[in-house]
Amino acid sequence: MTNHWVDIKNADIILIMGGNAAEAHPCGFKWVTEAKAHRGAKLIVVDPRFTRSASVADVYAPIRTGTDIVFLGGVIRYLLEKDQIQHEYVRNYTDLSFIVREDFSFENGLFSGYDAEKRRYDKSSWDYERGEDGYVKTDPTLQHPRCVYQLMKQHYARYTPETVERVCGTPQAKFLQICEMLASTAPANRVATILYALGWAQHSIGAQIIRTAAMMQLLLGNIGMPGGGINALRGHSNIQGLTDLGLMSNLLPGYLTLPNEAEQELPQYLAARTLKPLRPNQMSYWQNYPKFFVSLMKAWWGKAATAENNWAYDYLPKLDKLYDLLQVVELMAQGKMNGYICQGFNPLAAAPNKAKVLEGLAKLKYLVVMDPLATETSEFWRNAGESNPVDPSKIQTEVFRLPTTCFAEEDGSLVNSGRWLQWHWKGAEPPGEARSDIEIMAELFLRIRERYRREGGAFPAPILDLWWPYANEANPTPEELAKEYSGKALVDLPDPKDPARIVRRAGEQLAGFAELRDDGSTACGCWIFSGSWGPTGNLMARRDNSDPTGIGQTLGWSWAWPANRRILYNRASADLQGRPFDPQRKLIYWNGKAWAGADVPDFKVDEPPDSGMGPFIMNPEGVARFFARAGMAEGPFPEHYEPFETPLGYNPLHPKTPAATSNPAARVFARDLADMGKVEEFPHVATTYRLTEHFHYWTKNVRLNAIVQPEQFVEIGEALAKELGIANGERVKVSSKRGYIKAVALVTKRIRPLTIEGKTVHHVGIPIHWGFVGIAKPGFLANTLTPSVGDGNIQTPEFKSFLVKVEKA
Ligand SMILES: Nc1nc2c(c(=O)[nH]1)N[C@H]1C(S)=C(S)[C@@H](COP(=O)(O)OP(=O)(O)OC[C@H]3O[C@@H](n4cnc5c(=O)[nH]c(N)nc54)[C@H](O)[C@@H]3O)O[C@H]1N2
Ligand SMILES: Nc1nc2c(c(=O)[nH]1)N[C@H]1C(S)=C(S)[C@@H](COP(=O)(O)OP(=O)(O)OC[C@H]3O[C@@H](n4cnc5c(=O)[nH]c(N)nc54)[C@H](O)[C@@H]3O)O[C@H]1N2
Ligand SMILES: [Mo]
């Protein structure tokens, strides 16, 4: 979230799209209720299904899965055509006036630089034009034909209300009503928030859907404002913490990135990440990258990381490719992987194309499952009948189960969607042989280190040199780890301006990342967490909920990254003179000498408001980007592409360009491409989702949950049920190109047929919670049906839109 849960109460308009907060985030949803009750906020829900979120909405609109870029692109067109944008904001705080290179183009659904063979873009033309001084050229009048404003207007001119209706199936009148409501937040003092989750993320164009939404919020001046923002409602209680700590194959803690194999030298690695400003007088905060990086290497390798050995840079793996889930399953299925460790993860149930995952697991030599429970993954070799028909005698994989504790059986911190690190205390002792994940990992490490010590190996140094400064080596405490993430001084730290003065003593915890240095004198395991356990102690354990301004800014409750800041980009909530855009909800303001207010300023505290420094300090241009000059795989402006299994067979925006049917820059393995179904054989559009009454695949082990939702079902609309002659409560078979499931049919009014390009499209809703382990009635894994293809940027699987055929069982 750019903002946080409590802040939702400050919104005037709330858009829930690509998520179902009332059912998947029922506790956080109370802030939607607060906004409605106390501010008269209006709630909009856009979902293929009429959900419980929709049931309390002021306006509900249906949409075909996977077409949200058309809808949101349509909103962008509406705002630009009607000139309903926050002018002061976009002029000063975004790249609208920046001029784009002459060789940039967009034709027939593809941007300049496309290589069809590699399914990849050469992105060099997707950039701004530079002047002699190295800075970007701009046209503040916004008249230049290649300024971002003109290019964007031209790009979205095609996204008319007629197109929205034709492609998304959303009636034009509904769409225009929603446009009007969103446009009502263009005035400086009105705000809309967006709450989304997997309905946007789990698509082959997921990241671009989310970007389109962010662009809409920028046009309305809603980013950085209380009650505004773009808010990803995260899933597991600590999934935010997972990405923060770099548990993705290409990340290091704090969103630092692993080197790739072309980056063998440290100076080269740092230069590519230490970005120089693209406009005069900009902060370009990533210029501090070396401080964060060197402090991380000191935290990991301590004394073994020295200036002479480039802070142990050679110890870091250099990536040849992304090792995301889909890649790992592909390697397993190709027989290229010996072992796999699943820690709190049930991939047979959670990953797409169950048959492929099963095949991969069966080719491993060993599988380790660290989990409090038996799972489908740990039992993959078991013949469960029709839902898992395997022959155990043919499977040689050795499976080790290491029983772990659960969060309630240990102390520690969880990072919520609003980036708050909240400390918690254990509520019970673990049963039986269960041990904490920390203890298991520590013992695994000690044994591996012992073996390297004894026997050597190809490259033992990174293991032997790892700094392991814990009182009990075999069981580091959560407190020790939390302090390590937060960071400390390794020697007495002199004040850079007055070297005689010592600002921190050796061994003392640091107050925040501003104290980190790149000379090896500080250690910090995750720079964005720096200060969470500061010189005064554990700030994550704070529980002061006083809210002096009444806008929900409880700065004394827990600790938020970065720097206890609650709303990101909050400098953008004030105008060029430093006056809050909304005088009723003052977030931060310039008091004549410094920035002050209800939040920790996301800016240099004593930087005068009119100095020309932009509020988006992480970007080298200092402003927010409509034109994604770097980064996105499929283009600098989001464009609609069909799901890989499309009910149309072509992209209605580019019917004559087969290369532009589905995401042209998505990575697809040959085998998975061959495993895609066609609409002629699989005529119904399926989407998968969760129910309030279950949590994924583990609550089917809990009696009460198994009682309230005992049996697997699929939801089909009345029209489709009638067409197929299926009555409510009858059993149906749902098949895709990859397999089939059988379940009870729940015939509902909540899913209506949509008219797309003149033809009727039916959606089928498939809850994900059943499997063949647990005490609920055994069922089929929903992922028997789903296709193995991911988002073009981060490989989140396309769980939300694929093709099936429904028939009577
Ligand atoms: N009770 C309960 N709560 C949970 C979980 C749970 O298992 N049980 N899981 C947690 C986890 S890990 C996560 S990640 C979150 C997920 O939170 P959500 O994303 O909110 O949950 P989902 O139910 O997967 O999907 C949300 C909605 O997206 C809609 N949808 C599908 N395709 C599209 C589309 O193309 N466009 C639009 N606009 N909408 C679409 C679906 O109809 C569904 O209503 O929930 C968390 N909360
Ligand atoms: N078709 C389809 N598939 C989906 C989704 C979808 O919407 N549609 N959603 C996807 C999403 S968003 C998610 S997050 C995944 C969820 O997939 P998983 O994360 O694999 O599922 P869970 O059942 O939530 O958790 C996995 C295991 O963690 C264990 N566990 C709990 N606490 C601890 C602990 O402290 N330590 C250890 N070691 N283990 C613990 C639980 O017992 C459980 O068996 O599913 C994904 N798959
Ligand atoms: Mo999730």
Side-chain angles (χ1 to χ4, degrees):
M1 293 171 98
T2 54
N3 294 40
H4 59 92
W5 287 105
V6 183
D7 177 68
I8 296 169
K9 74 172 185 170
N10 292 314
D12 298 300
I13 299 284
I14 299 164
L15 173 64
I16 296 182
M17 184 168 176
N20 175 15
E23 294 182 69
H25 301 88
C27 295
F29 190 78
K30 70 168 170 264
W31 299 108
V32 175
T33 312
E34 290 276 321
K36 279 170 68 86
H38 300 298
R39 278 195 72 75
K42 295 278 181 275
L43 174 63
I44 306 167
V45 171
V46 183
D47 195 298
R49 305 181 303 129
F50 187 83
T51 60
R52 282 165 169 159
S53 302
S55 73
V56 290
D58 297 279
V59 180
Y60 162 75
I63 185 171
R64 171 168 69 102
T65 58
T67 64
D68 296 58
I69 289 180
V70 180
F71 191 106
L72 295 165
V75 178
I76 290 177
R77 176 185 179 276
Y78 177 98
L79 298 175
L80 291 171
E81 293 282 310
K82 308 253 178 221
D83 201 26
Q84 299 268 8
I85 61 182
Q86 218 276 49
H87 285 273
E88 206 179 338
Y89 187 104
V90 290
R91 209 173 336 110
N92 297 311
Y93 300 160
T94 75
D95 67 357
L96 273 195
S97 66
F98 289 29
I99 294 169
V100 169
R101 270 169 62 147
E102 205 162 352
D103 52 351
F104 166 75
S105 68
F106 176 75
E107 271 166 77
N108 298 325
L110 297 167
F111 293 89
S112 41
Y114 189 57
D115 180 335
E117 201 127 300
K118 291 193 182 129
R119 299 182 56 82
R120 227 184 289 147
Y121 279 100
D122 167 356
K123 301 178 192 168
S124 51
S125 64
W126 310 354
D127 205 349
Y128 308 129
E129 206 166 277
R130 313 283 176 90
E132 306 266 279
D133 53 7
Y135 291 132
V136 176
K137 288 192 193 166
T138 66
D139 173 18
T141 69
L142 306 184
Q143 295 307 308
H144 192 288
R146 275 185 291 109
C147 76
V148 170
Y149 173 72
Q150 296 293 346
L151 289 177
M152 179 164 66
K153 209 166 164 178
Q154 190 189 332
H155 189 87
Y156 291 106
R158 297 167 293 131
Y159 288 63
T160 60
E162 298 75 35
T163 305
V164 171
E165 176 163 316
R166 183 164 57 83
V167 180
C168 307
T170 312
Q172 269 190 62
K174 273 268 153 108
F175 169 71
L176 288 170
Q177 186 187 2
I178 292 170
C179 287
E180 223 170 278
M181 290 168 80
L182 291 165
S184 79
T185 68
N189 65 345
R190 279 186 48 91
V191 275
T193 185
I194 300 182
L195 310 181
Y196 76 93
L198 301 180
W200 278 355
Q202 290 174 339
H203 292 283
S204 49
I205 47 169
Q208 291 279 21
I209 299 177
I210 296 159
R211 224 188 100 67
T212 322
M215 289 164 68
M216 178 191 100
Q217 284 294 65
L218 281 173
L219 282 175
L220 293 165
N222 286 338
I223 299 279
M225 292 285 288
I230 166 130
N231 293 303
L233 309 184
R234 309 286 317 244
H236 287 96
S237 56
N238 196 31
I239 205 69
Q240 180 66 46
L242 178 144
T243 40
D244 295 346
L245 287 176
L247 280 164
M248 309 269 284
S249 70
N250 61 331
L251 291 184
L252 291 168
Y255 304 95
L256 307 182
T257 48
L258 263 185
N260 62 53
E261 62 184 357
E263 296 173 316
Q264 294 294 330
E265 304 301 330
L266 178 68
Q268 177 197 10
Y269 165 83
L270 288 179
R273 288 153 180 82
T274 311
L275 302 172
K276 300 267 171 317
L278 287 172
R279 293 286 300 153
N281 192 37
Q282 298 309 317
M283 168 116 67
S284 188
Y285 201 76
W286 282 117
Q287 289 184 100
N288 294 299
Y289 196 100
K291 298 176 189 168
F292 311 148
F293 179 76
V294 173
S295 300
L296 172 68
M297 301 299 272
K298 290 301 289 182
W300 283 3
W301 283 296
K303 288 202 168 74
T306 62
E308 291 68 44
N309 75 358
N310 277 328
W311 314 110
Y313 183 68
D314 290 348
Y315 290 7
L316 286 180
K318 313 289 183 293
L319 276 181
D320 61 338
K321 52 177 169 285
L322 214 59
Y323 286 86
D324 55 281
L325 175 60
L326 301 182
Q327 179 77 256
V328 165
V329 172
E330 171 72 14
L331 289 172
M332 265 189 217
Q334 287 184 17
K336 289 186 180 158
M337 201 170 278
N338 286 330
Y340 188 56
I341 302 183
C342 287
Q343 185 182 8
F345 183 31
N346 185 358
L348 190 68
N353 193 356
K354 184 222 166 201
K356 185 178 178 187
V357 182
L358 188 66
E359 184 187 320
L361 293 174
K363 286 182 181 164
L364 294 171
K365 289 198 178 115
Y366 67 92
L367 169 70
V368 180
V369 179
M370 291 171 59
D371 204 293
L373 301 165
T375 65
E376 277 76 10
T377 301
S378 71
E379 311 266 296
F380 79 93
W381 44 268
R382 183 154 67 83
N383 184 354
E386 212 178 348
S387 65
N388 198 49
V390 293
D391 178 355
S393 70
K394 299 229 166 71
I395 296 176
Q396 301 303 313
T397 313
E398 191 172 0
V399 181
F400 300 88
R401 280 183 58 201
L402 305 177
T404 67
T405 53
C406 220
F407 67 94
E409 294 157 350
E410 61 207 20
D411 295 346
S413 72
L414 300 166
V415 190
N416 75 7
S417 305
R419 294 165 286 101
W420 297 7
L421 282 71
Q422 304 194 86
W423 197 260
H424 65 86
W425 294 267
K426 82 158 94 164
E429 289 304 322
E433 295 181 315
R435 295 207 226 165
S436 80
D437 290 84
I438 299 177
E439 193 180 357
I440 295 173
M441 295 304 280
E443 191 167 331
L444 271 177
F445 167 69
L446 293 178
R447 289 193 193 196
I448 290 170
R449 187 177 67 179
E450 188 46 38
R451 186 131 178 221
Y452 270 110
R453 270 191 191 145
R454 249 189 0 249
E455 300 173 18
F459 190 29
I463 300 286
L464 296 182
D465 285 346
L466 204 69
W467 195 20
W468 203 256
Y470 313 110
N472 175 1
E473 282 210 322
N475 196 4
T477 64
E479 289 80 1
E480 285 172 315
L481 296 174
K483 284 183 181 168
E484 180 177 323
Y485 285 127
S486 187
K488 67 177 178 185
L490 294 172
V491 297
D492 287 354
L493 294 183
D495 184 342
K497 290 187 196 113
D498 174 11
R501 203 175 76 95
I502 298 297
V503 285
R504 293 275 167 232
R505 292 282 162 203
E508 196 180 348
Q509 290 294 115
L510 302 174
F513 48 74
E515 297 183 4
L516 296 175
R517 304 195 179 183
D518 60 8
D519 60 1
S521 59
T522 56
C524 177
C526 184
W527 74 275
I528 56 174
F529 289 177
S530 188
S532 57
W533 195 308
T536 59
N538 182 357
L539 303 189
M540 299 170 277
R542 294 182 303 174
R543 290 295 183 272
D544 173 2
N545 67 356
S546 49
D547 175 17
T549 58
I551 60 167
Q553 292 286 102
T554 53
L555 298 187
W557 181 280
S558 75
W559 186 89
W561 73 257
N564 202 30
R565 182 170 301 129
R566 305 295 161 130
I567 296 181
L568 298 179
Y569 317 116
N570 59 32
R571 164 66 184 92
S573 69
D575 65 15
L576 272 189
Q577 285 69 46
R579 294 171 307 218
F581 280 124
D582 181 358
Q584 302 304 309
R585 285 168 294 192
K586 284 191 192 142
L587 191 56
I588 68 162
Y589 53 87
W590 178 251
N591 70 9
K593 291 194 194 83
W595 289 93
D599 202 353
V600 177
D602 194 347
F603 209 51
K604 219 165 135 225
V605 156
D606 57 356
E607 181 78 19
D610 51 2
S611 75
M613 186 181 281
F616 292 86
I617 59 172
M618 303 308 283
N619 282 348
E621 51 272 63
V623 293
R625 285 178 197 154
F626 286 105
F627 186 83
R629 57 180 279 271
M632 304 301 284
E634 45 287 275
F637 292 128
E639 175 67 8
H640 169 72
Y641 300 107
E642 285 286 303
F644 268 76
E645 289 192 335
T646 155
L648 301 175
Y650 58 91
N651 184 341
L653 295 177
H654 311 286
K656 297 204 178 82
T657 319
T661 300
S662 299
N663 186 343
R667 180 202 65 197
V668 246
F669 299 115
R671 158 178 182 167
D672 297 331
L673 202 56
D675 241 358
M676 296 288 170
K678 295 260 184 307
V679 66
E680 293 74 24
E681 202 181 341
F682 302 100
H684 310 125
V685 173
T687 194
T688 56
Y689 48 88
R690 16 193 69 65
L691 306 172
T692 306
E693 297 80 4
H694 275 298
F695 197 88
H696 300 149
Y697 317 107
W698 32 321
T699 52
K700 56 185 161 56
N701 293 286
V702 181
R703 197 169 306 277
L704 282 177
N705 301 67
I707 290 169
V708 285
Q709 283 292 2
E711 189 173 2
Q712 186 166 25
F713 63 90
V714 297
E715 295 190 78
I716 54 178
E718 288 178 339
L720 179 61
K722 194 160 164 226
E723 191 183 306
L724 300 173
I726 295 167
N728 188 33
E730 277 188 310
R731 279 186 79 74
V732 286
K733 180 177 176 189
V734 182
S735 330
S736 79
K737 186 79 189 290
R738 295 152 295 272
Y740 68 87
I741 67 170
K742 287 177 179 170
V744 172
L746 194 157
V747 178
T748 176
K749 293 186 195 312
R750 296 186 303 262
I751 302 179
R752 298 274 170 91
L754 299 175
T755 306
I756 311 293
E757 293 260 276
K759 82 180 204 186
T760 303
V761 169
H762 295 285
H763 281 79
V764 177
I766 306 175
I768 60 174
H769 302 293
W770 281 271
F772 57 87
V773 174
I775 59 171
K777 234 179 179 174
F780 290 75
L781 291 168
N783 279 322
T784 309
L785 300 171
T786 49
S788 182
V789 62
D791 165 78
N793 296 278
I794 41 146
Q795 309 301 339
T796 305
E798 190 149 67
F799 288 131
K800 288 285 187 269
S801 195
F802 55 97
L803 296 177
V804 296
K805 177 183 182 175
V806 182
E807 58 202 318
K808 258 190 185 178

